[in-house]
């Protein structure tokens, strides 16, 4: 074999193995980025897997607390099934390019909310004027920050603000007209618009390179509790009922007809939710990590 044949043979072998070498290098490159992240060079990152753009669907159980429950302490007297309701919503997660641990979260949720202290009322001596009940349909836009403190775990904290707009399609309150011992039942319909704060903790589980499942425990509470700015129609303005009666106040405590003071607290609810989220990445290194995850999944 002459010199020219050797050169052609070597070139042919190089041409044949070059795609394999390129693929091997590409895979090695991904492994390095996955196992040895660093944010010092600008090429690498310590981003949490869940810190990404995404859209999610949520379903939640909500447990009301506030004036209708009328206890001032959560779950005082036990769990009340009359305060339990359901909601659901849609979330959009936005990751800032410089954010290694935070997602901005935009949520639109809706559902029902209800409260009823009838069981507590019936267990006490009559006459009393603290029987209260309501049912509402609400919609709520919200905005907050979802923070993953650890780069390799799904635990997160969330804080946000929201506006709850509700149609209170049925409320019932006992009251005593002025200078009268005759107790009357007031029924009606109204609406409420309430600014709220949200605090939550949760945990996300990775299902596939693009999908995750999150469990979240949240408390939401109104920042004010006055006429037309509440969840449960209490306190009630004269313009909100046909009897022209004003009930309740917004000053820390309320007093019944016997002069006994009761603790007042702003309306809100506890919420336990499940969210399924589809993720996509906003940067080249994240796409490389996703491709590596896909390769590993196929090899299994």
């Amino acid at each position: 074999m002459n010199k020219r044949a050797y050169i052609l043979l070597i070139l042919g072998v190089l041409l044949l193995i070059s795609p394999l070498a390129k693929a091997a290098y590409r895979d090695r490159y991904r492994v390095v980025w996955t196992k040895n992240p660093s944010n010092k060079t600008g090429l690498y990152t310590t981003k949490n897997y869940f810190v990404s753009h995404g859209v999610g669907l949520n379903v939640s159980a909500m447990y009301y607390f506030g004036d209708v429950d009328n206890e001032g302490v959560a779950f005082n007297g036990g769990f009340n099934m009359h305060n339990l309701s359901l909601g659901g919503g849609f979330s959009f997660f936005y990751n800032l390019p410089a954010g290694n641990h935070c997602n901005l979260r935009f949520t639109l949720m809706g559902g029902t909310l209800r409260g009823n202290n009838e069981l507590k009322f019936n267990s006490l001596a009559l006459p009393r004027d603290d029987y209260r009940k309501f049912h509402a349909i609400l919609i709520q836009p919200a905005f907050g920050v979802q923070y993953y403190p650890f780069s390799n775990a799904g635990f997160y904290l969330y804080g946000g603000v929201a506006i709850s707009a509700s149609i209170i399609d049925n409320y019932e309150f006992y009251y005593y007209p002025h200078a009268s011992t005759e107790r009357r039942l007031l029924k009606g319909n109204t609406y409420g618009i309430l600014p709220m704060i949200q605090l939550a903790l949760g945990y996300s589980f990775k299902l596939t390179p693009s999908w995750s499942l999150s469990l979240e425990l949240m408390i939401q509470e109104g920042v004010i509790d006055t006429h037309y700015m509440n969840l449960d129609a209490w306190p009630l303005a004269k313009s909100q009922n046909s009897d022209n009666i004003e009930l309740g106040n917004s000053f820390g405590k309320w007093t019944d007809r016997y002069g006994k003071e009761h603790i007042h607290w702003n309306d809100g609810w506890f919420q336990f939710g499940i969210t399924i989220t589809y993720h996509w990445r906003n940067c080249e290194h994240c796409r490389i990590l996703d491709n590596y995850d896909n390769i590993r999944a196929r090899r299994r």
Side-chain angles (χ1 to χ4, degrees), residues 1-232:
M1 186 177 289
N2 59 29
K3 185 177 179 180
R4 180 177 295 179
Y6 278 113
I7 293 174
L8 292 175
L9 178 61
I10 292 171
L11 290 175
V13 171
L14 291 176
L15 288 173
L16 287 173
I17 67 173
S18 60
L20 299 177
K22 184 178 180 181
Y25 176 78
R26 186 169 60 247
D27 288 343
R28 181 185 65 82
Y29 193 54
R30 290 168 183 155
V31 172
V32 170
W33 281 27
T34 303
K35 291 185 176 179
N36 300 289
S38 170
N39 59 1
K40 295 180 181 180
T41 65
L43 297 176
Y44 307 111
T45 184
T46 57
K47 275 182 178 290
N48 187 295
Y49 163 81
F50 302 102
V51 178
S52 67
H53 297 331
V55 291
L57 291 177
N58 167 272
V59 61
S60 298
M62 303 187 297
Y63 188 89
Y64 158 84
F65 62 82
D67 299 299
V68 167
D69 193 53
N70 196 21
E71 294 296 338
V73 179
F75 303 110
N76 186 14
F79 186 87
N80 184 0
M81 286 295 296
H82 292 296
N83 290 3
L84 188 64
S85 59
L86 292 175
F90 169 83
S91 296
F92 172 70
F93 303 92
Y94 180 78
N95 172 231
L96 297 174
N100 288 344
H101 295 278
C102 293
N103 282 332
L104 302 182
R105 183 166 119 184
F106 304 85
T107 303
L108 180 64
M109 71 160 291
T112 62
L113 198 66
R114 61 177 186 163
N116 187 344
N117 70 350
E118 184 177 4
L119 294 178
K120 298 175 183 178
F121 175 82
N122 288 338
S123 66
L124 301 173
L126 299 179
R128 294 179 65 92
D129 61 348
D130 56 358
Y131 165 66
R132 301 175 188 174
K133 174 183 177 182
F134 84 99
H135 179 274
I137 300 172
L138 64 85
I139 187 169
Q140 182 196 71
F143 166 76
V145 176
Q146 192 162 306
Y147 173 64
Y148 288 87
F150 310 112
S151 60
N152 58 351
F155 173 76
Y156 67 86
L157 302 171
Y158 171 81
V161 294
I163 298 290
S164 294
S166 58
I167 298 174
I168 305 169
D169 57 5
N170 180 21
Y171 66 78
E172 296 182 6
F173 302 139
Y174 270 144
Y175 76 100
Y176 288 85
H178 296 297
S180 173
T181 59
E182 178 187 0
R183 187 182 62 202
R184 296 181 60 180
L185 181 63
L186 185 65
K187 296 183 178 183
N189 307 290
T190 186
Y191 67 90
I193 299 176
L194 182 63
M196 305 187 75
I197 57 173
Q198 304 174 314
L199 296 173
L201 55 87
Y203 198 91
S204 298
F205 301 89
K206 182 179 177 180
L207 301 179
T208 73
S210 298
W211 292 90
S212 69
L213 182 72
S214 300
L215 304 179
E216 181 178 277
L217 182 63
M218 175 183 286
I219 181 172
Q220 300 203 45
E221 185 165 3
V223 299
I224 194 171
D225 194 10
T226 187
H227 301 151
Y228 293 102
M229 300 186 73
N230 52 59
L231 297 174
D232 50 20

Side-chain angles (χ1 to χ4, degrees), residues 204-274:
S204 298
F205 301 89
K206 182 179 177 180
L207 301 179
T208 73
S210 298
W211 292 90
S212 69
L213 182 72
S214 300
L215 304 179
E216 181 178 277
L217 182 63
M218 175 183 286
I219 181 172
Q220 300 203 45
E221 185 165 3
V223 299
I224 194 171
D225 194 10
T226 187
H227 301 151
Y228 293 102
M229 300 186 73
N230 52 59
L231 297 174
D232 50 20
W234 187 285
L236 191 71
K238 294 180 179 180
S239 57
Q240 292 178 278
N241 63 90
S242 59
D243 289 16
N244 199 33
I245 294 294
E246 183 173 314
L247 298 176
N249 59 64
S250 306
F251 302 102
K253 293 184 177 181
W254 67 277
T255 304
D256 64 20
R257 65 187 296 265
Y258 304 105
K260 181 181 178 181
E261 287 190 334
H262 298 263
I263 297 174
H264 169 91
W265 62 341
N266 292 355
D267 304 328
W269 66 80
F270 299 101
Q271 179 175 314
F272 178 74
I274 299 175

